[in-house]
Amino acid sequence: MTQATDCAMALDPTVREAARQRLASVRGHAEGIVRMLERDDVYCVDVLRQLKAVTGALDKVGDAVLRSHLHHHVTNAEARGDAEVIVDELMEILKYR
């Protein structure tokens, strides 16, 4: 797959910092889930709740990065001449959402 010509990450510093903080929280949360799984007295549903919380946090980070991508790369792809590449990239990544 060809990569778009203007492919630097264009996150607003506030969005970038919020995403970094959320991911740091996810890291701690995931470590907590690992500790839960190492114990025999943890209820399965409690683990599932924690997994859902991590999934939700990751989805929020993904949404913020996608929104930034749409604003900074997709909206002017036609003018840059790489609209087809941008569409292909999005279609590829959206298979996993």
Side-chain angles (χ1 to χ4, degrees):
M1 170 191 277
T2 306
Q3 195 170 27
T5 56
D6 184 21
C7 60
M9 186 165 52
L11 281 177
D12 175 90
T14 305
V15 174
R16 185 183 296 253
E17 179 59 19
R20 189 199 65 73
Q21 288 178 2
R22 189 174 297 275
L23 289 172
S25 175
V26 165
R27 179 189 304 142
H29 217 120
E31 289 168 355
I33 295 169
V34 169
R35 286 190 300 276
M36 290 174 79
L37 293 172
E38 292 169 344
R39 296 174 33 201
D40 292 331
D41 62 337
V42 175
Y43 186 45
C44 300
V45 173
D46 293 336
V47 173
L48 292 170
R49 280 190 188 107
Q50 297 307 310
L51 289 169
K52 188 64 176 168
V54 167
T55 301
L58 290 173
D59 285 345
K60 286 183 181 182
V61 172
D63 289 348
V65 173
L66 176 59
R67 177 177 290 280
S68 177
H69 181 70
L70 292 172
H71 282 295
H72 295 284
H73 298 288
V74 175
T75 57
N76 59 5
E78 191 68 41
R80 276 194 325 268
D82 63 353
E84 191 62 35
V85 172
I86 291 288
V87 169
D88 288 346
E89 284 177 343
L90 285 175
M91 294 307 293
E92 177 67 23
I93 198 64
L94 290 175
K95 286 194 280 187
Y96 303 106
R97 287 184 61 89

